[in-house]
Amino acid sequence: MRRRSPRVGAIAVAVAVVAVMSGVSVGYQQLARSGCTGQVTLTVAATPEIAGAVRSAVSAWDQRDTDAGAPCVRVAVSEAEPADVAAALAGTYGVGLAGVGQSGAVTAVPDVWVPDSSTWLLRLSSAAPGFRPTDGASIARSPVVVAMPEPVASGLGWPHETPTLAELVQRITTGVGLRSGIVEPTRDAAGLSGLMAFGATAGTGGAAARRASTAVVRSLATRPSVLRDDLLAQFPRSTVAGEVSSGLSLAVLSEEDVIAYNADRPPVPLAALYVDPAPMPLDYPFAVLAGTDPAKAAAADGLRQALATARFRNDLARQGLRAADGTWGAGFPAPAGAPSPSAAPASAAPGTGAAPGAPADPAVVDRALAAWSAITAPGRMLAAIDVSGSMRDPVPTAGDISRMQVTLLAAENGLALFNDDWAVGLWTFSRQLDGARDYRELVPVGPLSAQRGALRDALAEITPKRNGGTGLYDTVLAAYRQMRNGWQPGRVNSVVILTDGVGNDDRDGLSLEALLGQLERLKDENRPVQVIVVGIGDAVDRASLERITKTTGGGVLVTEDPAKIGDVFLKAIALRSAPG
């Protein structure tokens, strides 16, 4: 996240001041012309580093060529952190977003959103199927680079030579003189881009690749920062002997961040390393949010055209940003070693969708965030897997293997992601599975270091109960009670339910209202236990499940295609909030 003052060289716009969005004072421009009727106010939330250029474009926007009789347009441009707007949108759609969650009315939802990366749109549309913004085309660009103090970069051959991403991965994972850091990737697009690129370079398949990727995440997680300014403050601020070697020596930032940092003329400037393969750049999409009325949508289209001018390109340049195609306008302070806009782009990190114009791969995003969450938020988790009869049903999109088989494969892959810091237990549930109980304990919650093999063996032996029903509510209560009674500080204590049922069909068990009442009585804000439900298939009773997770915290993730449960399970891991 960015929390710093406006850029040097930002254009001042003579505008009235109003307070909207996040309580930030912003400007609006009245765009009146003869013949216009009425008034339309278009609200725009732009990430801080581009907001000045957008306001300048609003100031210069000439509506004289628009149709007579159309409404006058007033554009209110607000500086808004992408994570804050994402939280507001998540709240609007009733979903959670890893690292962001939901927010109340602190940040208003705008008509047009210009975040720093389209990965925000991807993450929201993946979590909330109803989130479907229009347009979404890029209006600016900033490559994601590896930032280093110039003395450190010089020691690696910069600016004449640039180490590859693979060489940097080797250095940071073996402790060879590079102290790395990152801004929390669940809340920062450049951090997420770097996490995906470093992880993909370490490897994508097999046990050795998983170990290498885990080592990369651990190295980056050694010095994570929630705010970008906090990370920047870790770079050496003096050339005194020892200061450079003891400070932060590597961080994933945007090119614009490096330009802004060096504009303050620090004693130790930063070098921007344009590594190969290249992390996915920040692309600043212009997203018109769903539900925007036609008059505002028309105004948004007019503003979009105003952002495609040579003047806007030059305004971006003075803010340290490139145009959407990667070229730059007059006055752009290109860092030393920056590739020419006409040069061929570096290759993309495998699977990241990093090439200009290429979308991010949703599976890579989920895998990166799940790995980050698994390592930075150690878990104490009880997983309960539905073994009702319907889990025998074939999955056509997965070669007709059963729902049970795709579920167990997802669980096995998740288990491989967890490191030995975790504590994990395993239950199955149906109806009357263990005497009168609807659930059966296969492996008690315990250190993964001591029972990884036992969990694998237990997963391999799970089979659905022929004609078995779904005793969901009794299982949720028992699992929640056990995790609450054994609650441990410093961990994310959670219950993860994997089910394909329509809900609860145990007539002899708890009703939904009885379950909610018991959960409310058991809930302890000082000892939180989250319940996360992974629903499989199109018959899942999402509304009832969301009433449960609203009481306990957590969330409901549903995939109508059981073949995609692996992706959903990764989202479930990433959805967990910070340790209680």
Side-chain angles (χ1 to χ4, degrees), residues 72-124:
C72 301
V73 177
R74 186 181 74 167
V75 181
V77 180
S78 169
E79 292 186 11
E81 293 291 342
D84 294 338
V85 179
L89 286 164
T92 298
Y93 286 91
V95 299
L97 213 58
V100 173
Q102 301 179 3
S103 78
V106 176
T107 300
V109 174
D111 301 315
V112 176
W113 184 26
V114 185
D116 53 3
S117 172
S118 57
T119 55
W120 288 110
L121 307 182
L122 176 72
R123 292 173 62 190
L124 279 162

Side-chain angles (χ1 to χ4, degrees), residues 43-45 110-115 121 131 133-137 139 284-290 292 300 304:
T43 58
V44 180
D111 301 315
V112 176
W113 184 26
V114 185
L121 307 182
F131 178 76
T134 58
D135 198 333
I139 63 170
Y284 299 90
F286 184 89
V288 182
L289 298 184
T292 301
R304 179 70 179 83

Side-chain angles (χ1 to χ4, degrees), residues 227-269:
L227 298 181
R228 183 168 297 271
D229 282 350
D230 292 343
L231 181 71
L232 293 170
Q234 297 179 45
F235 281 115
R237 296 287 179 164
S238 169
T239 57
V240 174
E243 279 271 333
V244 174
S245 60
S246 63
L248 187 67
S249 51
L250 178 156
V252 180
L253 297 169
S254 71
E255 178 184 69
E256 181 271 337
D257 287 313
V258 174
I259 291 172
Y261 184 89
N262 289 341
D264 291 335
R265 301 187 180 278
V268 183

